[in-house]
Amino acid sequence: MLGSNPELRRKPGLRGKSRGLSLLGGAFGALLFLAACEEQNTYAPPPPPTVTVAQPLIRDVTEYLEFSGTTAAYARVEIPARVPGVLQAVHFEIGSEVSKGDLLFTIDPQEYDASVQATEAELARAQAVLSEAEKTLGRARTLIQRGNISQASLDEAEANYLSAEAEVLVREANLTSARIDLGYTQVTAPMSGRVGRNLVDVGNLVGQGSATVLTDITVYDPIHVYFEVNERDLLRAIERIRSQIGEGGSARDQANFPIEVGLTTEEGYPHVGVTDFTESQVDPNTGTLQVRGVLENPGKQPALLPGLFTRVRVPIAERAAMPLVSENAVGFDQSGRYLLVVNDEGIVEKRTVTLGQLVEGLRVIERGIDPSDRVIVTGVQRAREGIAVQAEEIDMMSLLLSANGASASETGRRGDGQRATGDSPGAAPDAATD
């Protein structure tokens, strides 16, 4: 274009001027672009993180001591063969309930029946001899008065009578023993309970040389539970119990206090009972005291069987107006357990706390917070001590209801026999809560 225009060719300065204007415009555009970029990169602080807060739930709670225990039969007896002989019959169904006096086994009684008959005959003969000796003694006493016999004859008659009388006593004792042995051939239940399996089959010789155990009977209702109390918990329990019943309370009052028991697959502590025995001293090797409780365990298929592992808790005190917070709100660092709270200015503060037991999914706070504190229950990971947050308030009671609902749902899912994981409402706090 420039080469074809004669005017431009005649004015070479105009071309340079046009090129300068173009460069000036490009520089001006670059300055505008840089200014726009600088304005877009200006730093803007992020908004405060949003957290959920709730004031502690204030409730009266029961203070518990929690232990691990083992169930044991209320009573158990082995049924032996008390006389030797051949086992003739079994009269019970394995695993059934039997009553005291029910016939369980029969040992061949023929030998013992014959022994009874022979002893009865010997007793009859001894009684006849005694009768004759009594008559002889009577005649001797009459004749001695007439002077027809000597004193020696009278003494002999009295001795024969006493000997015959003693022989009758011996034969009566033998007959009693023979009848007892005959009775032992009918093996009966010494108490009511659940009978086990027969340990010896019909046709075997039993009781030869030593007593042969034939079966056993176990009493499931009631049932015992044994648990060990460490020294620290023992002293706490003694202090609380004495404060409740007074120093003048009897030993039975101090020994019989309520207990609650739950199995590993059960929610909470559905079985209740009382303690009925406490060892007289602390074991110096373990530093624990063994305690035994007794619980009702009815039904043909009782819920508790001997030898099961159990969770045991013992209520020792009622505590009024204790603060409870969600377990999720509790944090842990080198200083121990803590809660984060939001003050009136919206600033996060850290409160070191002492934890108590778990109550229906909420944790009791022994020390460290006030009832009016707004505790961060969700969004704890986004909160830091000293920063500002946007707090949304909820009621701690809603978390309690949610925990109970989740617990009920978990119990329903465990209907297939699978064991759930996680803490149960009765789980003991860890060592850091002390």
Side-chain angles (χ1 to χ4, degrees):
M1 295 291 294
L2 294 174
S4 61
N5 193 332
E7 294 295 329
L8 292 177
R9 287 197 302 268
R10 288 193 296 265
K11 299 179 180 179
L14 182 60
R15 181 185 300 178
K17 183 177 182 181
S18 175
R19 183 177 301 174
L21 291 174
S22 298
L23 293 174
L24 181 61
F28 182 72
L31 291 175
L32 291 177
F33 176 78
L34 292 175
C37 292
E38 183 178 358
E39 182 178 357
Q40 291 178 358
N41 289 334
T42 301
Y43 173 77
T50 301
V51 296
T52 304
V53 298
Q55 290 185 342
L57 179 63
I58 306 301
R59 293 183 59 177
D60 295 342
V61 298
T62 302
E63 182 179 358
Y64 294 96
L65 296 178
E66 300 180 351
F67 311 97
S68 297
T70 306
T71 56
Y74 185 80
R76 183 180 179 275
V77 60
E78 293 182 338
I79 311 299
R82 303 183 68 174
V83 292
V86 175
L87 189 64
Q88 192 175 71
V90 178
H91 301 282
F92 64 90
E93 183 178 351
I94 295 175
S96 62
E97 294 290 328
V98 296
S99 300
K100 183 178 181 179
D102 286 352
L103 181 62
L104 302 179
F105 299 93
T106 296
I107 298 173
D108 188 357
Q110 295 183 16
E111 177 184 351
Y112 300 98
D113 190 31
S115 177
V116 169
Q117 293 179 21
T119 308
E120 288 176 341
E122 292 174 355
L123 175 61
R125 183 173 59 185
Q127 289 174 338
V129 172
L130 175 62
S131 178
E132 181 62 27
E134 184 178 11
K135 292 176 182 179
T136 300
L137 178 59
R139 288 193 297 268
R141 286 173 177 171
T142 300
L143 294 175
I144 195 67
Q145 292 176 357
R146 298 176 182 177
N148 295 335
I149 61 172
S150 64
Q151 183 64 37
S153 297
L154 177 62
D155 293 342
E156 182 180 359
E158 290 178 345
N160 290 337
Y161 172 77
L162 293 175
S163 177
E165 189 177 42
E167 185 67 18
V168 168
L169 294 176
V170 170
R171 297 304 176 185
E172 287 178 344
N174 290 340
L175 178 59
T176 299
S177 178
R179 286 174 175 170
I180 290 175
D181 288 344
L182 178 61
Y184 285 155
T185 63
Q186 303 293 304
V187 182
T188 59
M191 65 181 184
S192 299
R194 184 178 180 181
V195 65
R197 66 182 180 90
N198 55 299
L199 302 177
V200 181
D201 294 325
V202 172
N204 284 285
L205 179 64
V206 297
Q208 188 68 37
S210 61
T212 303
V213 177
L214 303 177
T215 188
D216 59 75
I217 295 177
T218 305
V219 178
Y220 290 161
D221 184 22
I223 194 168
H224 282 143
V225 58
Y226 288 86
F227 55 97
E228 303 289 334
V229 181
N230 61 56
E231 182 177 350
R232 178 180 178 182
D233 288 340
L234 175 63
L235 296 177
R236 288 177 61 194
I238 291 176
E239 180 182 356
R240 296 297 174 88
I241 293 170
R242 285 179 175 175
S243 65
Q244 292 176 12
I245 67 175
E247 294 291 341
S250 65
R252 178 172 295 274
D253 292 333
Q254 296 185 18
N256 294 349
F257 47 89
I259 62 172
E260 302 174 7
V261 175
L263 301 178
T264 56
T265 57
E266 292 178 329
E267 189 73 24
Y269 299 79
H271 311 283
V272 295
V274 296
T275 58
D276 68 339
F277 169 75
T278 304
E279 282 288 357
S280 58
Q281 66 177 11
V282 175
D283 187 339
N285 296 320
T286 63
T288 60
L289 180 76
Q290 187 178 69
V291 179
R292 185 181 74 185
V294 59
L295 307 92
E296 293 184 358
N297 191 34
K300 292 184 178 181
Q301 297 295 330
L304 301 175
L305 297 176
L308 293 177
F309 173 81
T310 62
R311 296 172 291 108
V312 182
R313 70 178 185 181
V314 181
I316 60 172
E318 296 290 336
R319 306 184 66 182
M322 296 299 295
L324 291 84
V325 303
S326 171
E327 182 82 349
N328 297 330
V330 181
F332 176 76
D333 60 13
Q334 294 181 348
S335 63
R337 303 290 182 175
Y338 67 87
L339 294 174
L340 297 179
V341 302
V342 179
N343 62 21
D344 295 338
E345 287 75 28
I347 305 301
V348 177
E349 297 180 355
K350 179 181 176 182
R351 303 287 174 82
T352 301
V353 295
T354 301
L355 303 186
Q357 66 195 45
L358 199 63
V359 178
E360 298 180 1
L362 299 183
R363 180 67 70 179
V364 175
I365 305 301
E366 301 280 352
R367 293 184 298 273
I369 62 171
D370 296 324
S372 59
D373 283 337
R374 298 189 299 164
V375 180
I376 300 178
V377 292
T378 58
V380 178
Q381 298 82 358
R382 297 188 296 270
R384 298 288 186 274
E385 183 181 9
I387 71 170
V389 294
Q390 182 68 33
E392 297 178 355
E393 294 198 21
I394 63 171
D395 191 348
M396 193 71 73
M397 177 62 74
S398 64
L399 300 179
L400 173 63
L401 298 176
S402 298
N404 290 339
S407 176
S409 176
E410 183 65 25
T411 302
R413 289 196 298 271
R414 274 190 273 171
D416 59 357
Q418 294 182 352
R419 181 176 177 181
T421 60
D423 290 339
S424 66
D430 52 40
T433 64
D434 290 336

